[in-house]
């Protein structure tokens, strides 16, 4: 994500990006967050989408998780163009069970 942010910034774009990369379920890297913090971040990400002219999903390997899927749907429902850095492969928690 940092490379996309850098490239877009040097291209003259104002980049509004997620600031925290953590999970409530203990999977993945980063600092653990509470359910309340997760809910606040989810709402904040939607407000950031409201500010954006378009949405670029940085998804190396094509992975798109549940939160990102919701954000994509929100962006599209609000008329924001959505593009991806990788192919798209939506996460399905049922496959992991």
């Amino acid at each position: 994500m940092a490379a996309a942010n850098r490239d877009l910034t040097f291209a003259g774009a104002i980049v509004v990006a997620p600031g925290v990369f953590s999970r409530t379920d203990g999977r993945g890297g980063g600092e653990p967050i509470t359910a309340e913090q997760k809910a606040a971040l989810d709402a904040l990400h939607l407000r950031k989408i409201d500010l954006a002219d378009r949405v670029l999903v940085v998804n190396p390997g094509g992975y798109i998780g549940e939160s990102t899927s919701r954000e994509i749907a929100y962006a599209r429902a609000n008329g924001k163009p959505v593009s991806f850095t990788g192919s798209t492969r939506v996460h399905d928690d049922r496959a992991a069970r």
Side-chain angles (χ1 to χ4, degrees):
M1 183 163 312
N5 188 327
R6 180 183 186 280
D7 293 346
L8 289 168
T9 298
F10 279 130
I14 297 171
V15 178
V16 181
V20 176
F21 303 98
S22 298
R23 298 177 65 126
T24 57
D25 61 8
R27 294 186 292 172
E31 180 180 339
I33 61 173
T34 67
E36 293 80 17
Q37 289 170 322
K38 169 79 168 93
L41 288 173
D42 286 347
L44 180 61
H45 289 178
L46 298 183
R47 299 299 69 82
K48 288 181 178 186
I49 291 169
D50 290 338
L51 295 172
D53 294 325
R54 66 184 184 99
V55 174
L56 174 65
V57 179
V58 178
N59 62 322
Y63 175 81
I64 297 175
E66 184 180 328
S67 291
T68 303
S69 293
R70 277 194 309 273
E71 292 164 0
I72 292 166
Y74 180 85
R76 288 179 171 155
N78 286 281
K80 308 288 182 168
V82 178
S83 56
F84 304 85
T85 61
S87 60
T88 57
R89 178 175 51 88
V90 176
H91 173 67
D92 184 354
D93 278 333
R94 293 172 297 186
R97 293 179 189 174

